[in-house]
Amino acid sequence: MLIDTYGRQATDLRVSLTDRCNLRCTYCMPEEGLQWLSKTGLLSDDEIVRLIDIAVTSLGVEEVRFTGGEPLLRPGLVGIVERVAALAPRPQMSLTTNGIGLKRTATALRTAGLDRVNVSLDTLRPDVFKTLTRRDRHQDVLEGMQAAREAGLTPVKVNSVLMPGLNDDEAPDLLAWAIDHEYELRFIEQMPLDAQHGWKRDGMIAAGDILASLRTRFELTDEGSQERGSAPAERWIVDGGPHRVGVIASVTRPFCAACDRTRLTADGQIRTCLFAREETDLRTALRSDTGDEEIARIWRVAMWGKKAGGDLDDPTFVQPDRPMSAIGG
């Protein structure tokens, strides 16, 4: 098992398949992009599957989330999903995507064994989408989400980040749209994981602001902590149900005490937290003919040293040195 000194057990593995992305979201990376990892620096398909196998069979991991960058840009994605689905025990598998490539891949991913998807969509307005992402691909995302729903990759969860002066007025419209299309909407507070280090605490749309905006149109009833468990999103029942909306308040209402995640970067590093500045190298062990038992031991030691959590209000907080695109969401 992957246990830390605070008694938390990591059963949820986030696997970044690539640092590349076909969008340039303003809260993630600069317009010109980043210096991408070399092909030899990335884990191979076989290496990824081997590490997931170790995590599932030896370390107690029950859920695997494929992330990026944009994971649909990984050429071997469908094959990776198919091989992980064949593991015993079989983990639950999901994927976080910007949705652009879902229209052409949703059916193949479902056939391979993927259970569901999370799609990032911050606005219903094509012009705002273009401003936020620096790409004119709004319709592609909408069509991708529809394809995912039709393929059975459900529930389709929608992740939205609200930005001041751009889409901060859209929360009620986004929720009404999600309910109409049978999507599960979750708002995420903007986190300090942008490559340009432009994040400012006082400029963020916080959970309280989001809920106040939603309540101008909807009645929200707190689902309660018992239903939440270790999930990052606090959820509210909308207008008596059955629809729900979530808020992931990583900054103003951190949930570190219940965290059950371990993270594998695209270049084979273990990270115990999105905000961590330390990593543990598994790629070198993989490529040095190290046995599975020793790799599992290295992973356990890394998780044992996991910190209690990051306090973003602490003046000594130092922003992580890798952007979101490099470490996975």
mmCIF file of all heavy atoms in Angstrom, residues 6 13 73 88 105 107 123 125 142 145 147 154 167 169 179 188 205 226 232 246 271 308 317 329:
data_model
loop_
_atom_site.group_PDB
_atom_site.id
_atom_site.type_symbol
_atom_site.label_atom_id
_atom_site.label_comp_id
_atom_site.label_asym_id
_atom_site.label_seq_id
_atom_site.Cartn_x
_atom_site.Cartn_y
_atom_site.Cartn_z
ATOM 1 N N TYR A 6 0.751 10.581 7.749
ATOM 2 C CA TYR A 6 -0.487 11.129 8.305
ATOM 3 C C TYR A 6 -1.636 10.134 8.202
ATOM 4 O O TYR A 6 -2.789 10.475 8.476
ATOM 5 C CB TYR A 6 -0.850 12.436 7.590
ATOM 6 C CG TYR A 6 0.205 13.497 7.784
ATOM 7 C CD1 TYR A 6 1.246 13.637 6.858
ATOM 8 C CD2 TYR A 6 0.204 14.330 8.893
ATOM 9 C CE1 TYR A 6 2.237 14.580 7.035
ATOM 10 C CE2 TYR A 6 1.192 15.279 9.086
ATOM 11 C CZ TYR A 6 2.206 15.394 8.156
ATOM 12 O OH TYR A 6 3.201 16.339 8.348
ATOM 13 N N LEU A 13 -4.387 6.959 -8.833
ATOM 14 C CA LEU A 13 -3.165 7.292 -9.557
ATOM 15 C C LEU A 13 -3.484 8.178 -10.753
ATOM 16 O O LEU A 13 -4.294 7.821 -11.609
ATOM 17 C CB LEU A 13 -2.481 6.003 -10.043
ATOM 18 C CG LEU A 13 -1.303 6.169 -11.029
ATOM 19 C CD1 LEU A 13 -0.171 6.973 -10.402
ATOM 20 C CD2 LEU A 13 -0.813 4.800 -11.487
ATOM 21 N N LEU A 73 -3.408 13.424 -27.362
ATOM 22 C CA LEU A 73 -2.295 13.588 -28.282
ATOM 23 C C LEU A 73 -1.310 12.422 -28.205
ATOM 24 O O LEU A 73 -0.400 12.328 -29.034
ATOM 25 C CB LEU A 73 -1.546 14.898 -27.991
ATOM 26 C CG LEU A 73 -2.335 16.198 -28.212
ATOM 27 C CD1 LEU A 73 -1.462 17.402 -27.867
ATOM 28 C CD2 LEU A 73 -2.843 16.292 -29.650
ATOM 29 N N ALA A 88 -5.356 -7.437 -13.534
ATOM 30 C CA ALA A 88 -6.166 -8.037 -12.475
ATOM 31 C C ALA A 88 -5.497 -7.722 -11.125
ATOM 32 O O ALA A 88 -4.352 -8.127 -10.909
ATOM 33 C CB ALA A 88 -6.291 -9.537 -12.678
ATOM 34 N N THR A 105 -12.275 9.765 -31.152
ATOM 35 C CA THR A 105 -11.661 8.719 -30.321
ATOM 36 C C THR A 105 -12.584 8.120 -29.267
ATOM 37 O O THR A 105 -12.255 7.085 -28.684
ATOM 38 C CB THR A 105 -10.423 9.266 -29.588
ATOM 39 O OG1 THR A 105 -10.811 10.413 -28.800
ATOM 40 C CG2 THR A 105 -9.341 9.677 -30.566
ATOM 41 N N THR A 107 -15.445 6.425 -29.138
ATOM 42 C CA THR A 107 -15.907 5.036 -29.294
ATOM 43 C C THR A 107 -14.763 4.056 -29.092
ATOM 44 O O THR A 107 -14.906 3.024 -28.410
ATOM 45 C CB THR A 107 -16.545 4.838 -30.669
ATOM 46 O OG1 THR A 107 -17.686 5.699 -30.789
ATOM 47 C CG2 THR A 107 -17.005 3.400 -30.855
ATOM 48 N N THR A 123 -16.351 28.099 -20.841
ATOM 49 C CA THR A 123 -17.297 29.096 -21.328
ATOM 50 C C THR A 123 -18.214 28.503 -22.382
ATOM 51 O O THR A 123 -17.849 27.557 -23.081
ATOM 52 C CB THR A 123 -16.542 30.307 -21.926
ATOM 53 O OG1 THR A 123 -17.483 31.264 -22.438
ATOM 54 C CG2 THR A 123 -15.616 29.874 -23.045
ATOM 55 N N ARG A 125 -19.376 30.669 -24.649
ATOM 56 C CA ARG A 125 -19.264 31.690 -25.683
ATOM 57 C C ARG A 125 -18.001 31.455 -26.519
ATOM 58 O O ARG A 125 -16.885 31.497 -25.987
ATOM 59 C CB ARG A 125 -19.229 33.081 -25.044
ATOM 60 C CG ARG A 125 -20.448 33.371 -24.166
ATOM 61 C CD ARG A 125 -20.570 34.837 -23.815
ATOM 62 N NE ARG A 125 -19.540 35.318 -22.924
ATOM 63 C CZ ARG A 125 -19.739 35.639 -21.638
ATOM 64 N NH1 ARG A 125 -20.942 35.488 -21.079
ATOM 65 N NH2 ARG A 125 -18.743 36.100 -20.904
ATOM 66 N N LEU A 142 -17.532 20.897 -27.897
ATOM 67 C CA LEU A 142 -18.938 20.543 -27.698
ATOM 68 C C LEU A 142 -19.273 19.227 -28.410
ATOM 69 O O LEU A 142 -19.969 18.356 -27.840
ATOM 70 C CB LEU A 142 -19.838 21.661 -28.225
ATOM 71 C CG LEU A 142 -19.723 23.020 -27.532
ATOM 72 C CD1 LEU A 142 -20.703 24.007 -28.162
ATOM 73 C CD2 LEU A 142 -19.981 22.906 -26.037
ATOM 74 N N MET A 145 -17.729 16.252 -26.506
ATOM 75 C CA MET A 145 -18.482 15.877 -25.303
ATOM 76 C C MET A 145 -19.725 15.070 -25.662
ATOM 77 O O MET A 145 -20.055 14.073 -25.004
ATOM 78 C CB MET A 145 -18.865 17.142 -24.533
ATOM 79 C CG MET A 145 -17.674 17.873 -23.960
ATOM 80 S SD MET A 145 -18.099 19.472 -23.274
ATOM 81 C CE MET A 145 -19.124 18.977 -21.921
ATOM 82 N N ALA A 147 -20.066 13.196 -28.289
ATOM 83 C CA ALA A 147 -19.601 11.883 -28.722
ATOM 84 C C ALA A 147 -19.258 11.006 -27.525
ATOM 85 O O ALA A 147 -19.531 9.790 -27.532
ATOM 86 C CB ALA A 147 -18.382 12.040 -29.627
ATOM 87 N N THR A 154 -19.646 7.815 -19.415
ATOM 88 C CA THR A 154 -20.451 8.620 -18.503
ATOM 89 C C THR A 154 -20.216 8.215 -17.053
ATOM 90 O O THR A 154 -19.819 7.084 -16.765
ATOM 91 C CB THR A 154 -21.934 8.456 -18.851
ATOM 92 O OG1 THR A 154 -22.273 7.062 -18.842
ATOM 93 C CG2 THR A 154 -22.247 9.013 -20.216
ATOM 94 N N ASN A 167 -15.056 35.282 -17.969
ATOM 95 C CA ASN A 167 -16.223 34.384 -17.890
ATOM 96 C C ASN A 167 -16.784 34.290 -16.489
ATOM 97 O O ASN A 167 -17.517 33.372 -16.168
ATOM 98 C CB ASN A 167 -15.832 32.985 -18.384
ATOM 99 C CG ASN A 167 -14.757 32.338 -17.512
ATOM 100 O OD1 ASN A 167 -14.012 33.025 -16.805
ATOM 101 N ND2 ASN A 167 -14.666 31.023 -17.567
ATOM 102 N N ASP A 169 -19.092 35.737 -15.124
ATOM 103 C CA ASP A 169 -20.541 35.893 -15.053
ATOM 104 C C ASP A 169 -21.285 34.670 -15.586
ATOM 105 O O ASP A 169 -22.519 34.658 -15.641
ATOM 106 C CB ASP A 169 -20.972 37.119 -15.859
ATOM 107 C CG ASP A 169 -20.614 37.006 -17.345
ATOM 108 O OD1 ASP A 169 -19.669 36.250 -17.683
ATOM 109 O OD2 ASP A 169 -21.267 37.664 -18.169
ATOM 110 N N ILE A 179 -27.001 20.807 -16.974
ATOM 111 C CA ILE A 179 -28.204 20.054 -16.596
ATOM 112 C C ILE A 179 -28.978 19.636 -17.840
ATOM 113 O O ILE A 179 -29.424 18.492 -17.964
ATOM 114 C CB ILE A 179 -29.076 20.903 -15.661
ATOM 115 C CG1 ILE A 179 -28.401 21.037 -14.291
ATOM 116 C CG2 ILE A 179 -30.471 20.293 -15.511
ATOM 117 C CD1 ILE A 179 -29.097 22.002 -13.351
ATOM 118 N N ILE A 188 -13.632 24.821 -10.723
ATOM 119 C CA ILE A 188 -12.328 24.660 -10.089
ATOM 120 C C ILE A 188 -11.712 26.032 -9.861
ATOM 121 O O ILE A 188 -11.606 26.836 -10.798
ATOM 122 C CB ILE A 188 -11.382 23.812 -10.957
ATOM 123 C CG1 ILE A 188 -12.013 22.448 -11.257
ATOM 124 C CG2 ILE A 188 -10.034 23.623 -10.260
ATOM 125 C CD1 ILE A 188 -11.178 21.582 -12.182
ATOM 126 N N ILE A 205 -11.353 33.942 -8.664
ATOM 127 C CA ILE A 205 -12.776 33.745 -8.378
ATOM 128 C C ILE A 205 -12.881 32.570 -7.422
ATOM 129 O O ILE A 205 -12.616 31.427 -7.794
ATOM 130 C CB ILE A 205 -13.579 33.467 -9.666
ATOM 131 C CG1 ILE A 205 -13.324 34.557 -10.703
ATOM 132 C CG2 ILE A 205 -15.067 33.351 -9.339
ATOM 133 C CD1 ILE A 205 -13.719 35.939 -10.272
ATOM 134 N N GLN A 226 -20.084 13.328 4.257
ATOM 135 C CA GLN A 226 -20.141 11.868 4.217
ATOM 136 C C GLN A 226 -20.231 11.364 2.780
ATOM 137 O O GLN A 226 -19.608 10.367 2.413
ATOM 138 C CB GLN A 226 -21.331 11.346 5.036
ATOM 139 C CG GLN A 226 -21.352 9.827 5.158
ATOM 140 C CD GLN A 226 -22.421 9.349 6.122
ATOM 141 O OE1 GLN A 226 -23.152 10.140 6.706
ATOM 142 N NE2 GLN A 226 -22.506 8.046 6.297
ATOM 143 N N PRO A 232 -12.262 15.445 -4.447
ATOM 144 C CA PRO A 232 -11.847 16.845 -4.308
ATOM 145 C C PRO A 232 -12.994 17.838 -4.372
ATOM 146 O O PRO A 232 -12.867 18.964 -3.888
ATOM 147 C CB PRO A 232 -10.891 17.048 -5.480
ATOM 148 C CG PRO A 232 -11.311 16.023 -6.486
ATOM 149 C CD PRO A 232 -11.784 14.843 -5.700
ATOM 150 N N GLY A 246 -20.518 20.657 -8.503
ATOM 151 C CA GLY A 246 -19.396 20.575 -7.586
ATOM 152 C C GLY A 246 -18.508 21.800 -7.659
ATOM 153 O O GLY A 246 -18.489 22.512 -8.664
ATOM 154 N N ARG A 271 5.121 12.343 -8.036
ATOM 155 C CA ARG A 271 4.830 13.559 -7.277
ATOM 156 C C ARG A 271 3.724 13.223 -6.284
ATOM 157 O O ARG A 271 2.707 12.636 -6.645
ATOM 158 C CB ARG A 271 4.392 14.703 -8.190
ATOM 159 C CG ARG A 271 5.471 15.178 -9.143
ATOM 160 C CD ARG A 271 4.963 16.288 -10.048
ATOM 161 N NE ARG A 271 4.701 17.509 -9.326
ATOM 162 C CZ ARG A 271 5.571 18.516 -9.178
ATOM 163 N NH1 ARG A 271 6.768 18.425 -9.707
ATOM 164 N NH2 ARG A 271 5.256 19.603 -8.521
ATOM 165 N N ALA A 308 1.845 17.242 4.802
ATOM 166 C CA ALA A 308 0.449 17.362 5.245
ATOM 167 C C ALA A 308 -0.394 18.084 4.214
ATOM 168 O O ALA A 308 -1.566 17.782 4.013
ATOM 169 C CB ALA A 308 0.384 18.082 6.591
ATOM 170 N N PHE A 317 4.926 30.249 0.981
ATOM 171 C CA PHE A 317 4.589 29.302 -0.085
ATOM 172 C C PHE A 317 5.355 29.643 -1.355
ATOM 173 O O PHE A 317 5.428 30.791 -1.779
ATOM 174 C CB PHE A 317 3.084 29.339 -0.379
ATOM 175 C CG PHE A 317 2.696 28.537 -1.602
ATOM 176 C CD1 PHE A 317 2.605 27.166 -1.542
ATOM 177 C CD2 PHE A 317 2.457 29.165 -2.823
ATOM 178 C CE1 PHE A 317 2.263 26.424 -2.672
ATOM 179 C CE2 PHE A 317 2.115 28.427 -3.949
ATOM 180 C CZ PHE A 317 2.012 27.060 -3.871
ATOM 181 N N GLY A 329 -3.341 17.095 -14.357
ATOM 182 C CA GLY A 329 -4.357 17.703 -13.512
ATOM 183 C C GLY A 329 -5.001 16.717 -12.586
ATOM 184 O O GLY A 329 -4.645 15.568 -12.544
#
